[in-house]
Amino acid sequence: MCGIIGYIGNRNAAEVLVRGLHKLEYRGYDSAGICVFSKGHLDVIKTKGRLDKLEQRLSGTSLESTLGLGHTRWATHGEPNDINSHPHLSQNGKIAVVHNGIIENYRQIKEFLCDKGVEFQSETDTEVIAQLLAYHYKGDVMRALMTTLGELEGAYALGVMCADYPDEFFAARKDSPLIIGLGKGENFIASDIPAILEYTRDIIIMEDREIVHITRGQAKLYDLLGKTVKRGVFHVDWDAEAAEKGGYEHFMIKEISEEPRAVRAAISPRIRDGLIDTGLSALSDNWVRNIKKIHIIACGTAYHAGLVGKYAIEKVARIPVEADLASEFRYREPIVRKGDLAVVISQSGETLDTLMGLREARKRGAKILSIVNVVGSSIARESDAVIYTWAGPEISVCSTKAYNTQLAALFSLAYDLGFRKGKLSFAGMMAAAKSLLGLPELIEKVLLNREIIQKFSAQHFNAQSVFYIGRGIDFALSSEGSLKLKEISYIHSEAYAGGELKHGTIALIEKGTLVICPITQDNLLEKTLSNVREVKARGAVVMAVTPERLAGAVSDVADAVITIPDTDSIFAPIIAVTPLQLFAYYVSVMRGNDVDKPRNLAKSVTVE
Ligand code: M6R
């Protein structure tokens, strides 16, 4: 959560910071602010609300500065208001700090500083960092920073300026993402690459417990003891336009439209000579053949992809799989043994709960295979092997193409594991590879039908409550459909396993309740149709999503049927999710919501 940016160079810092913050606003948008070095002191301008409010405040000011820090906030400590907004200044006005993360021992530090006579302005944990830095500062910021970081518990990506240092700034990270951008005569820090991509493509990805000292001419990395650290430069080869709306009204619809390309990019590099190879041999063939159990660890949409992955891996590779919400896994004393594989799924690669789940699994003896979109992210770096999903930047808070590509990776993994474990014939593997390669074209066909979904959305955008029901892999898919809808439409929605309805939930079905039902599995058709009949008998209106081959049977029972092209039933969720995403999208647009920045949410959840 929260986006930070820092700049030093020859451009107008305020302009660079605000442009960068626009690219980071998906990370949090409760409030925004900047601090620039101006006429010998630190000038802070910050406000509650979106960036346009900050821009209003800035218009009319003439901030002639070439050094500054910026922040866009997702509130954790203290409500979103002007005072709690970042940057935070120390009481003496010497130190300014922007922060992403949570300082767990901030109360103790605050008490300590209050006893020393420090007066706090805000309710934030971040102000504690600024005040503690000022307390330790005796003319050497680097030294004060090392001492301060040694006393902080929790997660941070920090940008730090000091009024006595007109030509430099500092940054540090632990468990929250931070990159350094290297320009010519100018340098940057940012929470994410798109913020600085219009200025430079040369990036250093900071590691945990590192400090960087940045001037116009260089960025020097240190560990927390002040020892120099050497790190390679990563050249970004994707286009800045990939992170722009490119003529679409919202990032979400742009990203849904990119699904065929993204899935193609996720699958095709893994198919060689007709066989699927996900790079598992990085873990050694023998080790892979002997995997006893798989633990899938993820949050939100990535977790829902993991639920589909559980079905696929158990079915194809016959290895027992447990799928856990990362936030639960960590604290439930999971039984993980040496020889187990943890599959950690994350679009951002920075979700703190997932990262902590990864560490917990490793501590307990598992090897880690991650399925990640953002190259070089923390989760990718801490894994034994990585399957990159190659979805390209996903900006909309509501995750779409990342899910399809996570499924592509999980299906590939299921077949790769199955083949290596001897559960699958050569012919079976070749057939699966062929089907996987055909999926992008099928998603393209679904996208051609978007108007039908738009019309259906127009009939239901005022719904009070929407249920998603499905059986087997369709239940996992329903969970994702329901999350999409509630996240951006703010309509109450739940997903239930079809067979579970009669154990309580069916009491909520009344005349006119909308029920959305993916029916993609031939072997569960009749059972699911019985569930559709049960809810229809109580007055529900049912929209089904089903492949062409089942459409006849389904349309006899459901009120509306969205057909998707036929494919092997195991792969159906990768196609069937698109209509569910489109439905949520159109409903959100029709309700006048901010589709890409839904209330109370942020893209990258780097706090617990
Ligand atoms: O970056 P990650 O995949 O680790 O993010 C996990 C969840 O926070 C994320 O999927 C979230 O649920 C989305 N907003 C759903 O659309």
Side-chain angles (χ1 to χ4, degrees):
M1 326 300 248
C2 302
I4 71 178
I5 180 163
Y7 175 73
I8 183 162
N10 296 312
R11 302 175 201 258
N12 180 310
E15 278 172 27
V16 174
L17 298 174
V18 171
R19 285 180 78 85
L21 288 179
H22 272 290
K23 307 277 166 40
L24 294 174
E25 212 185 3
Y26 70 90
R27 301 179 66 86
Y29 29 84
D30 293 334
S31 53
I34 63 168
C35 172
V36 293
F37 190 91
S38 171
K39 297 175 192 134
H41 68 278
L42 300 177
D43 239 349
V44 172
I45 294 111
K46 57 185 185 175
T47 175
K48 176 186 168 181
R50 300 262 167 116
L51 263 176
D52 49 355
K53 274 196 78 185
L54 178 68
E55 285 175 301
Q56 281 164 23
R57 291 238 172 141
L58 288 171
S59 69
T61 59
S62 55
L63 291 173
E64 299 291 322
S65 174
T66 53
L67 164 62
L69 296 170
H71 189 271
T72 176
R73 179 172 186 244
W74 185 85
T76 56
H77 295 65
E79 62 170 292
N81 61 27
D82 290 1
I83 292 173
N84 289 334
S85 309
H86 300 213
H88 287 281
L89 275 181
S90 60
Q91 191 177 344
N92 61 7
K94 283 232 180 238
I95 305 282
V97 171
V98 289
H99 170 219
N100 169 30
I102 285 184
I103 302 305
E104 283 161 10
N105 60 339
Y106 85 103
R107 279 181 203 285
Q108 294 91 309
I109 299 175
K110 196 167 182 174
E111 272 168 28
F112 167 81
L113 291 170
C114 285
D115 285 349
K116 303 280 174 206
V118 176
E119 283 175 21
F120 282 78
Q121 303 294 315
S122 76
E123 301 154 277
T124 65
D125 51 342
T126 305
E127 189 186 348
V128 158
I129 308 173
Q131 304 287 19
L132 188 62
L133 267 165
Y135 176 77
H136 288 307
Y137 176 61
K138 307 280 182 280
D140 182 341
V141 178
M142 188 68 182
R143 185 166 294 280
L145 193 53
M146 286 190 293
T147 313
T148 300
L149 296 180
E151 292 170 7
L152 298 182
E153 286 168 21
Y156 53 76
L158 292 178
V160 175
M161 283 168 67
C162 175
D164 297 340
Y165 287 62
D167 292 308
E168 57 219 277
F169 72 99
F170 299 81
R173 77 156 272 180
K174 178 179 164 275
D175 295 333
S176 292
L178 197 62
I179 55 128
I180 303 163
L182 303 173
K184 290 196 171 56
E186 59 183 355
N187 287 309
F188 308 78
I189 56 157
S191 299
D192 198 1
I193 294 170
I196 57 172
L197 207 51
E198 65 179 289
Y199 308 106
T200 179
R201 289 172 169 275
D202 291 332
I203 305 291
I204 293 175
I205 298 170
M206 287 184 74
E207 303 256 350
D208 279 349
R209 298 182 177 80
E210 285 180 353
I211 301 175
V212 62
H213 173 205
I214 300 192
T215 60
R216 284 180 184 79
Q218 59 184 0
K220 277 189 169 174
L221 267 182
Y222 299 93
D223 67 13
L224 289 192
L225 299 173
K227 214 170 121 218
T228 308
V229 174
K230 292 261 172 281
R231 176 79 30 75
V233 175
F234 165 73
H235 188 77
V236 178
D237 55 10
W238 42 269
D239 210 317
E241 277 173 25
E244 304 287 347
K245 276 194 211 148
Y248 287 89
E249 201 183 338
H250 301 102
F251 278 110
M252 183 175 171
I253 190 69
K254 173 181 180 247
E255 288 159 7
I256 293 174
S257 305
E258 287 169 350
E259 284 172 3
R261 186 209 57 74
V263 170
R264 197 168 289 123
I267 292 171
S268 34
R270 306 211 152 94
I271 299 192
R272 284 182 214 128
D273 305 324
L275 295 180
I276 302 164
D277 181 355
T278 50
L280 274 177
S281 34
L283 300 170
S284 111
D285 276 343
N286 192 37
W287 190 88
V288 170
R289 266 194 296 276
N290 288 307
I291 293 171
K292 297 281 176 306
K293 190 171 176 185
I294 293 180
H295 306 265
I296 294 181
I297 305 165
C299 300
T301 286
Y303 169 70
H304 294 151
L307 290 178
V308 174
K310 171 183 160 69
Y311 282 96
I313 295 169
E314 289 191 337
K315 186 169 177 147
V316 177
R318 306 305 296 158
I319 304 171
V321 181
E322 269 184 35
D324 269 273
L325 290 164
S327 52
E328 293 294 317
F329 178 82
R330 189 180 171 198
Y331 296 108
R332 75 167 171 86
E333 299 193 25
I335 300 173
V336 180
R337 298 205 169 89
K338 204 157 184 271
D340 288 359
L341 176 68
V343 176
V344 177
I345 313 171
S346 174
Q347 186 285 127
S348 62
E350 300 292 349
T351 301
L352 194 68
D353 283 325
T354 311
L355 181 62
M356 294 304 168
L358 177 158
R359 290 181 185 164
E360 186 67 29
R362 182 186 292 294
K363 195 176 83 191
R364 290 172 183 267
K367 284 213 188 289
I368 313 294
L369 168 70
S370 61
I371 296 176
V372 170
N373 192 35
V374 177
V375 177
S377 53
S378 302
I379 289 173
R381 281 183 288 121
E382 294 196 24
S383 302
D384 299 297
V386 185
I387 302 180
Y388 281 114
T389 51
W390 304 124
E394 191 184 66
I395 307 296
S396 178
V397 167
C398 188
S399 188
T400 53
K401 62 177 176 171
Y403 176 83
N404 305 64
T405 57
Q406 285 159 354
L407 291 192
L410 285 159
F411 292 143
S412 306
L413 177 66
Y415 279 89
D416 194 0
L417 282 169
F419 191 63
R420 285 174 202 260
K421 286 196 73 106
K423 302 287 177 198
L424 196 68
S425 68
F426 191 74
M429 179 67 143
M430 298 274 281
K434 194 165 170 241
S435 297
L436 279 170
L437 284 172
L439 292 173
E441 211 176 304
L442 304 186
I443 304 174
E444 267 159 24
K445 287 192 179 149
V446 172
L447 288 171
L448 293 177
N449 273 339
R450 63 177 80 176
E451 276 175 21
I452 302 175
I453 299 158
Q454 196 170 5
K455 275 192 197 137
F456 188 80
S457 314
Q459 290 157 18
H460 293 284
F461 74 94
N462 275 325
Q464 296 288 308
S465 186
V466 180
F467 291 87
Y468 287 73
I469 61 170
R471 283 176 171 259
I473 215 163
D474 288 335
F475 170 51
L477 176 62
S478 296
S479 305
E480 177 58 7
S482 172
L483 176 64
K484 294 300 84 151
L485 185 73
K486 69 184 103 175
E487 182 177 13
I488 56 172
S489 73
Y490 317 143
I491 295 173
H492 165 260
S493 169
E494 300 292 340
Y496 279 94
E500 192 56 20
L501 282 170
K502 57 186 172 297
H503 298 289
T505 311
I506 202 159
L508 294 171
I509 305 291
E510 53 190 17
K511 195 164 183 302
T513 305
L514 179 60
V515 176
I516 296 182
C517 184
I519 310 177
T520 67
Q521 307 297 300
D522 300 60
N523 62 330
L524 294 168
L525 173 69
E526 284 310 322
K527 294 277 175 217
T528 315
L529 287 181
S530 299
N531 298 134
V532 171
R533 287 190 191 96
E534 283 163 11
V535 292
K536 277 199 58 86
R538 273 104 189 147
V541 175
V542 177
M543 177 182 88
V545 177
T546 197
E548 278 153 13
R549 64 177 182 281
L550 304 181
V554 173
S555 57
D556 285 346
V557 187
D559 298 284
V561 178
I562 307 289
T563 50
I564 56 168
D566 286 331
T567 181
D568 305 7
S569 53
I570 192 167
F571 300 137
I574 215 169
I575 316 173
V577 75
T578 306
L580 305 183
Q581 296 165 340
L582 285 168
F583 175 70
Y585 171 74
Y586 288 123
V587 167
S588 177
V589 172
M590 287 167 198
R591 289 169 75 96
N593 294 349
D594 190 341
V595 177
D596 288 330
K597 296 184 199 114
R599 70 186 181 203
N600 305 339
L601 293 175
K603 182 72 181 162
S604 181
V605 187
T606 52
V607 294
E608 245 197 290

